[in-house]
């Protein structure tokens, strides 16, 4: 008992130290919100096409029966980081053959149209989420957010914020490779 | 003059009401449902401006969630169903009061456990010091000497 009591200060210091070590980890983002959508089926939503862009709208049905994982990107013309991310997404589509779906979040259709005409349209389908309701179904907290959805419509990965910069792009590429491996193993 | 004073007073009284983020066009015509909506909104955390409830947040998503809460209430949901609806999309994170379940046992029970350890320790220490007092019992001979000494000092006191 005496020996145990003598050891308590060291024990307390160890526990606190471990806590601080965990708290000081630069990789840890205290603002990160765990997503409930991971490993869940794609939420129910049905969005009309963005007029004049030439690609069809997006709904749950188009995400549940694909041969390979697809990437779903939530974007808006008013979102500045989306502009930087656009180049990365375009490169993914052109270089890596990624199939990219877009949700145009709370945007004016004419603004979104001008934005896509200016930067180019890497999206295979774009759903126009005028009131942000589909965004809530996806549990997004802001724009941009990017999801990887498996061929059978399971949400595998969520990236909050723009996929821009070596770290983010590598993280996303790793997740995509894993998603493709899972899909390959399943079929 | 009086009119200006009254007007100023009214504006000052109304000022705190303006600090709420809920905008007039969001409010429901049914005051009972509106009160319920306000109460629910106070239990929901804004996912953009974290640690603020959606009732007082000006963020776009918070406004959307407020409208959604009202829409669910209009559709006849109970308060629990409304909270459940949003929890299903944003997880436990949106609830300002975390639910009691295995993942949160540590959170909810730590204060109780610390209290039990503390009070247990206090009881043990007190019991031990009580025993030491009991050991300090004096024999009859010693009692007599003590009372004699006490009597002497008493006499010397002014």
């Amino acid at each position: 008992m005496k020996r145990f009591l003598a050891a308590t200060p060291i024990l307390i210091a160890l526990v606190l130290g471990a806590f601080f070590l965990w708290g000081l980890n630069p990789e840890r983002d205290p603002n990160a919100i765990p997503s409930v959508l991971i490993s869940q089926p794609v939420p129910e939503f049905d969005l009309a096409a963005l007029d004049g862009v030439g690609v069809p709208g997006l709904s749950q049905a188009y995400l549940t029966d694909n041969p390979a994982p697809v990437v779903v990107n939530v974007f808006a013309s008013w979102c500045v980081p989306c502009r930087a991310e656009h180049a990365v997404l375009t490169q993914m589509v052109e270089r890596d053959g990624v199939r990219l779906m877009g949700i145009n979040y709370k945007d004016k259709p004419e603004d979104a149209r001008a934005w896509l005409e200016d930067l180019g349209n890497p999206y295979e389908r774009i759903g126009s989420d005028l009131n942000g309701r589909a965004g809530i179904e996806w549990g997004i907290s802001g724009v941009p957010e990017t999801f990887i959805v498996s061929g059978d419509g399971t949400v595998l990965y969520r990236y909050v914020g723009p996929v821009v910069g070596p770290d983010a792009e590598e993280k996303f590429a790793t997740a995509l490779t894993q998603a493709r491996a899972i899909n390959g193993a399943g079929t | 003059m009086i009119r200006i004073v009254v007007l100023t007073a009214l504006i000052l009284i109304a000022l705190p009401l303006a600090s709420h983020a809920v905008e007039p066009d969001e409010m429901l015509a049914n005051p009972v449902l509106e009160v319920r909506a306000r109460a629910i909104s106070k239990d929901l955390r804004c996912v953009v401006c974290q640690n603020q409830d959606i009732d007082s947040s000006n963020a776009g998503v918070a406004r959307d969630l407020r409208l959604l809460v009202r829409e669910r209430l209009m559709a006849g949901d109970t308060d629990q169903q409304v909270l459940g609806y949003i929890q299903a999309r944003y997880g436990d994170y949106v609830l300002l009061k975390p639910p009691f379940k295995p993942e949160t046992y540590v959170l909810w029970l730590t204060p109780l456990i610390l209290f039990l350890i503390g009070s247990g320790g206090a009881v043990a220490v007190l019991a031990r010091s009580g025993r030491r007092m009991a050991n300090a019992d004096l024999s009859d001979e010693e009692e007599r000497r003590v009372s004699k000494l006490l009597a002497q000092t008493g006499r010397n006191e002014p």
Side-chain angles (χ1 to χ4, degrees), chain A residues 55-56 70 98-102 121-126:
Chain A
V55 292
V70 297
V98 166
R99 286 181 64 195
L100 182 67
M101 312 286 178
N121 177 18
Y123 300 99
E124 192 177 314
R125 286 176 174 274
I126 297 176

Side-chain angles (χ1 to χ4, degrees), chain A residues 17 22-23 26 31 40 42-44 47 53 58 63 71 84 93 106-107 115 131 144 148 155 161-163 177 181:
Chain A
W22 172 78
N31 291 323
Q40 298 292 316
V42 168
E44 224 170 276
L47 296 173
V53 176
L58 185 66
L63 296 173
V71 173
V93 170
K106 286 179 128 181
D107 209 350
W115 195 79
N131 61 5
I148 298 176
V155 179
V163 186
T177 312

Side-chain angles (χ1 to χ4, degrees), chain A residues 88-186:
Chain A
V88 179
L89 293 172
T90 305
Q91 196 188 32
M92 268 194 233
V93 170
E94 287 172 356
R95 190 192 57 193
D96 309 330
V98 166
R99 286 181 64 195
L100 182 67
M101 312 286 178
I103 294 177
N104 186 221
Y105 182 73
K106 286 179 128 181
D107 209 350
K108 287 192 186 121
E110 61 267 28
D111 289 351
R113 205 156 44 230
W115 195 79
L116 289 168
E117 270 165 21
D118 183 20
L119 298 172
N121 177 18
Y123 300 99
E124 192 177 314
R125 286 176 174 274
I126 297 176
S128 187
D129 185 15
L130 294 174
N131 61 5
R133 189 49 55 87
I136 290 180
E137 294 294 330
W138 281 84
I140 69 162
S141 58
V143 208
E145 287 201 13
T146 310
F147 298 85
I148 298 176
V149 178
S150 76
D152 63 355
T154 309
V155 179
L156 297 175
Y157 184 76
R158 174 196 190 202
Y159 192 90
V160 179
V163 186
V164 172
D167 282 358
E169 284 169 41
E170 198 194 311
K171 246 189 222 172
F172 195 84
T174 311
L176 195 60
T177 312
Q178 281 169 352
R180 282 175 166 161
I182 293 171
N183 219 72

Side-chain angles (χ1 to χ4, degrees), chain A residues 30-34 36 105-106 131-133 135-142, chain B residues 47-48 50 60-61 64-65 67-68 71 85 87-93 128:
Chain A
N31 291 323
I33 307 175
V36 281
Y105 182 73
K106 286 179 128 181
N131 61 5
R133 189 49 55 87
I136 290 180
E137 294 294 330
W138 281 84
I140 69 162
S141 58
Chain B
V47 287
V48 181
Q50 304 177 359
V61 175
D64 291 349
L65 286 174
L67 290 172
L68 182 64
E71 205 181 291
Y85 186 90
Q87 190 189 355
R89 281 150 187 80
Y90 282 96
D92 293 343
Y93 186 86
R128 199 183 298 170

